[in-house]
Amino acid sequence: MSRRAPTLEDVAREAGVSRATVSRVVNGIRNVDPEIQELVRRAIGRTGYAPNRAARSLVTRRTETVALVVSGAGDTSDAGQNAFAARVFADPFFGRVVGGIVGFLRPRSLHPVLMFAESAEAREEVLTYLRQGRADGALVVSTHSDDPLPALLADARLPAVLFARPSRPVPLSYVDLAHRDGAHLAAEHLLARGCRQLATISGPLDVAASQERLAGFRDTLARHGHPYVPVAEGGFTLDSGIAAMADLLDRHPGTDGVFAANDLMAQGACQVLRERGRRVPEDVAVVGFDDSSIAVTCRPRLTTVRQPVEEMAARMARLLDEHLQGVRTEVTSVVFEPELVVRESA
Amino acid sequence: MSRRAPTLEDVAREAGVSRATVSRVVNGIRNVDPEIQELVRRAIGRTGYAPNRAARSLVTRRTETVALVVSGAGDTSDAGQNAFAARVFADPFFGRVVGGIVGFLRPRSLHPVLMFAESAEAREEVLTYLRQGRADGALVVSTHSDDPLPALLADARLPAVLFARPSRPVPLSYVDLAHRDGAHLAAEHLLARGCRQLATISGPLDVAASQERLAGFRDTLARHGHPYVPVAEGGFTLDSGIAAMADLLDRHPGTDGVFAANDLMAQGACQVLRERGRRVPEDVAVVGFDDSSIAVTCRPRLTTVRQPVEEMAARMARLLDEHLQGVRTEVTSVVFEPELVVRESA
DNA sequence: GTGAAAGCGCTAACAT
DNA sequence: ATGTTAGCGCTTTCAC
């Protein structure tokens, strides 16, 4: 049934040349007579040859594969792990990250292996995977900024690039967003609209990005004479946005402007606002963050701070590729600027 | 800087035994003196040895890697490809699929490589990838049932398992859901509630599952004396659900019950209904399909037909594993039964 | 420009 | 129970 797959040897015999010559043709190395090239190419076609990657990797020490790891800080039991995967992808944010990464990798024939590292054991597996040379490097997207993985990777001197700056310095390149600037944009917009009683739904405060967005929002308001800003902490999920908005409304019924740290929570906030009889944006203006797909699909459409996720993800992949190629040796950080997208909610 | 990674040879020398013995210990093969085992294990610890997978794969002809391919039918230009990835993950459905697959693969040390095959070129890359032995088999999730990939895979005799039955028979195992039964459940529920003017928002009709759900819904209604059912075709996206519901309402203002072919569209339907002054479920009852995360996060919470996606995905992975192990040789199909989950929308 | 030959690090058959 | 040895299929000097 399954005949042995054709090898270089087979092609060589078929074409009447040596293995070395076939290898040269396959790898597009010059110094091969055009006629012979054609000869070899035809032999390849006839035999249906496909180079065995294990054999190639064994000598080149490259796999053309990168680990795409979604990493939590937690010590989630392994049981809750497929729930972790589902939860992660419930935020359109990750779909965009994947899209950006794949967009960069594919034209270069690099392939992503999906890994989840939400437990100590899973993190160890990631390290082992890389040490075994199954992937050339790692692209790490952490859900918490105190994620231990980046440090482990750096200690093991394994090539890796991060999405978002780690909470404590690690000698690894990363891409990030100027979160403070984004929050500043939101605050200015709300103020310009005439809102006087502002509040915010922050992201989980163990995430650096959440802290930055909160700090940026507060700073801007403070500079405009609003020293106190009610805050409700959310978890970047729709549910938590709902709970946070309800809480805020109970404590401060007069709120007329809200900045939510992501679109999912902004959507939740809008739902609660409407249920409680507030019109958005007439009674309460809402600004989200990310500019994810829900920003345009939810009603009212969200005014939000755009984060160029695909571009950031692609850049992250490029950084790793450059490190692997050896064309970039120094640790690098690339920080993107957000921009305000005005729609209906504010 | 980067010293050569330790090899079996190094460990053997360190432990004072032969390569073969170290290999046996590493692979957990019996017939090794416990004392020597311990000796070797310590040597491994000291050297920080990690077996080179390329070398192992070269001889075992196994990579412990499977391709997880999300496949469209289209001939989307490669440019639109990271958009494809983002769009795919915009439906929580795929997050659940990934969760189920990873849940099965990980305990078995199998790893998924993410691939998107939405163009002829991309499909060819998937085939090449497998032919090169970079993955042992493929797990294929198609967004359209006339996806050409399954047939290509079967023709090339590459091991693969599908999520959902292909539109034309292909000698490949698959898992699927009894879509008709699911639609039947929805129809019965709506009828039992007292709805008299039913309509449905179908999925894209080039997807077999959509056709089945539609047919099942119609059949059941027909049996209950409702020969005509207004249909609006959607595309499984929130947007399309919104458009479809608006359309339905224009054509049949008296509609009092709607069956949407997935939760995302059901959510869109609820939005439109509310905007047009209909209460859900009092004026119009809505039943979704999937029981995805949005079913519980959207307002009102969705009554929906549950599809055990994680379980189906895990089963799909298991089928592939069994085929690869050689313990299952015949092509197999596993069809799951849906169940109705009653919440608030109907 | 082309071929011969030496490995890359591992497993597995065969000896012992 | 352990060691010896022959490859797995490829890239890459090094001769010619």
Side-chain angles (χ1 to χ4, degrees):
Chain A
M1 155 187 165
S2 65
R3 224 173 34 266
R4 205 179 96 282
T7 72
L8 259 195
E9 186 74 52
D10 299 325
V11 179
R13 195 175 325 112
E14 177 81 17
V17 297
S18 73
R19 288 211 311 266
T21 300
V22 179
S23 175
R24 288 186 185 108
V25 173
V26 169
N27 294 296
I29 290 174
R30 60 192 169 292
N31 289 349
V32 178
D33 187 295
E35 288 197 17
I36 296 204
Q37 271 188 45
E38 200 39 42
L39 211 65
V40 170
R41 238 180 278 288
R42 267 203 288 275
I44 289 177
R46 260 176 281 136
T47 52
Y49 171 72
N52 178 308
R53 299 299 301 215
R56 179 181 294 186
S57 290
L58 185 53
V59 23
T60 60
R61 307 186 158 285
R62 279 276 256 144
T63 58
E64 318 277 81
T65 296
V66 304
L68 167 47
V69 10
V70 181
S71 182
D75 272 296
T76 320
S77 73
D78 271 0
Q81 157 224 330
N82 65 23
F84 179 75
R87 185 154 32 85
V88 159
F89 285 109
D91 193 327
F93 177 83
F94 283 94
R96 293 175 68 194
V97 171
V98 171
I101 288 175
V102 171
F104 178 86
L105 295 183
R106 218 176 63 180
R108 291 162 183 79
S109 294
L110 293 173
H111 299 267
V113 171
L114 201 51
M115 307 188 82
F116 293 94
E118 64 324 337
S119 68
E121 192 190 337
R123 281 188 284 273
E124 200 47 55
E125 278 168 22
V126 172
L127 295 182
T128 300
Y129 197 85
L130 292 163
R131 271 198 292 253
Q132 294 187 328
R134 298 183 69 170
D136 301 328
L139 259 12
V140 179
V141 185
S142 301
T143 57
H144 295 277
S145 55
D146 55 344
D147 180 8
L149 187 60
L152 294 173
L153 253 9
D155 288 349
R157 318 219 124 214
L158 292 166
V161 177
L162 316 176
F163 194 103
R165 175 169 58 80
S167 61
R168 54 187 66 191
V170 163
L172 251 26
S173 293
Y174 65 84
V175 297
D176 207 341
L177 185 82
H179 299 284
R180 285 187 114 89
D181 294 353
H184 172 76
L185 256 24
E188 292 285 5
H189 181 72
L190 255 8
L191 253 14
R193 261 194 136 261
C195 297
R196 318 298 283 130
Q197 299 216 40
L198 265 18
T200 183
I201 299 175
S202 78
L205 293 174
D206 55 347
V207 173
S210 303
Q211 292 169 13
E212 295 283 296
R213 292 174 198 175
L214 175 57
F217 192 65
R218 276 187 170 138
D219 284 358
T220 303
L221 292 191
R223 264 198 300 267
H224 282 272
H226 299 262
Y228 174 69
V229 184
V231 178
E233 183 179 351
F236 280 154
T237 64
L238 196 143
D239 273 347
S240 68
I242 288 173
M245 189 68 244
D247 176 40
L248 242 23
L249 232 35
D250 289 342
R251 286 156 46 202
H252 305 274
T255 300
D256 62 0
V258 177
F259 167 51
N262 79 345
D263 290 341
L264 219 42
M265 296 194 296
Q267 182 186 0
C270 290
Q271 279 180 22
V272 172
L273 255 8
R274 184 143 55 176
E275 279 166 14
R276 304 244 183 141
R278 261 75 157 191
R279 291 168 304 164
V280 177
E282 295 81 355
D283 302 327
V284 183
V286 175
V287 175
F289 206 106
D290 280 353
D291 193 26
S292 65
S293 58
I294 37 179
V296 303
T297 54
C298 87
R299 291 300 115 97
R301 276 178 277 270
L302 261 30
T303 287
T304 186
V305 177
R306 174 166 184 78
Q307 186 171 189
V309 180
E310 291 85 352
E311 206 185 325
M312 293 167 70
R315 191 57 182 277
M316 169 172 63
R318 176 189 295 286
L319 283 173
L320 180 60
D321 190 40
E322 290 170 347
H323 283 307
L324 293 176
Q325 304 272 354
V327 300
R328 177 185 298 274
T329 50
E330 76 290 11
V331 171
T332 310
S333 66
V334 181
V335 179
F336 289 73
E337 278 302 323
E339 67 190 53
L340 188 73
V341 179
V342 180
R343 296 204 181 83
E344 304 162 0
S345 70
Chain B
M1 157 185 163
S2 64
R3 220 170 40 265
R4 204 179 98 283
T7 72
L8 259 197
E9 187 73 51
D10 298 325
V11 179
R13 195 177 324 110
E14 177 81 17
V17 298
S18 75
R19 287 212 313 267
T21 300
V22 179
S23 177
R24 289 186 185 106
V25 173
V26 169
N27 294 297
I29 290 174
R30 60 191 170 293
N31 290 348
V32 178
D33 187 296
E35 288 198 17
I36 296 203
Q37 270 189 46
E38 200 37 44
L39 210 66
V40 171
R41 239 180 278 287
R42 267 203 288 275
I44 289 177
R46 259 175 282 137
T47 53
Y49 171 73
N52 178 308
R53 299 298 302 213
R56 178 182 294 188
S57 290
L58 186 52
V59 25
T60 61
R61 307 185 157 286
R62 281 276 256 142
T63 58
E64 318 279 85
T65 296
V66 303
L68 168 46
V69 11
V70 182
S71 182
D75 273 296
T76 321
S77 73
D78 272 1
Q81 156 225 329
N82 65 23
F84 180 74
R87 183 153 34 84
V88 159
F89 285 108
D91 192 327
F93 178 82
F94 283 95
R96 293 174 67 194
V97 171
V98 172
I101 288 174
V102 171
F104 178 86
L105 295 183
R106 218 176 62 181
R108 291 161 182 79
S109 295
L110 293 173
H111 298 268
V113 171
L114 201 50
M115 306 188 83
F116 294 93
E118 65 322 338
S119 69
E121 192 190 337
R123 282 188 283 273
E124 202 45 59
E125 278 169 22
V126 172
L127 294 182
T128 300
Y129 197 85
L130 291 163
R131 270 198 292 254
Q132 294 187 327
R134 298 182 70 170
D136 301 327
L139 259 13
V140 180
V141 184
S142 301
T143 57
H144 296 278
S145 55
D146 55 343
D147 180 8
L149 186 61
L152 295 174
L153 254 8
D155 289 348
R157 318 220 125 212
L158 292 166
V161 177
L162 316 176
F163 195 102
R165 175 169 59 80
S167 61
R168 55 186 66 191
V170 164
L172 249 29
S173 294
Y174 65 82
V175 297
D176 207 341
L177 186 81
H179 299 284
R180 284 187 117 86
D181 295 354
H184 172 76
L185 256 25
E188 292 285 4
H189 181 73
L190 254 10
L191 253 15
R193 260 194 136 261
C195 297
R196 319 297 285 132
Q197 300 216 39
L198 265 19
T200 183
I201 299 175
S202 78
L205 293 174
D206 56 346
V207 174
S210 303
Q211 292 170 13
E212 295 282 297
R213 291 174 198 175
L214 176 56
F217 191 65
R218 277 188 169 138
D219 284 359
T220 303
L221 291 190
R223 265 198 299 268
H224 283 272
H226 298 263
Y228 175 68
V229 184
V231 179
E233 183 179 352
F236 281 153
T237 64
L238 196 142
D239 274 347
S240 68
I242 288 173
M245 188 68 243
D247 177 39
L248 243 22
L249 233 34
D250 289 343
R251 287 157 45 203
H252 306 274
T255 299
D256 63 358
V258 176
F259 167 51
N262 79 345
D263 290 340
L264 220 41
M265 296 194 297
Q267 182 187 1
C270 290
Q271 280 180 22
V272 172
L273 255 8
R274 185 145 54 178
E275 279 166 13
R276 304 248 181 136
R278 261 75 156 190
R279 291 166 304 162
V280 177
E282 295 81 356
D283 302 327
V284 183
V286 175
V287 175
F289 206 105
D290 280 354
D291 193 25
S292 66
S293 59
I294 36 180
V296 303
T297 53
C298 86
R299 291 301 115 96
R301 276 178 277 269
L302 260 30
T303 287
T304 187
V305 177
R306 175 167 183 77
Q307 185 171 191
V309 180
E310 291 85 352
E311 207 185 324
M312 294 168 69
R315 190 58 183 277
M316 169 171 64
R318 175 190 296 287
L319 283 174
L320 180 60
D321 190 41
E322 290 169 347
H323 284 307
L324 295 176
Q325 304 273 353
V327 299
R328 177 186 297 275
T329 51
E330 76 291 13
V331 170
T332 310
S333 66
V334 181
V335 179
F336 288 74
E337 279 301 323
E339 66 189 53
L340 187 74
V341 179
V342 180
R343 295 205 180 83
E344 304 163 0
S345 70

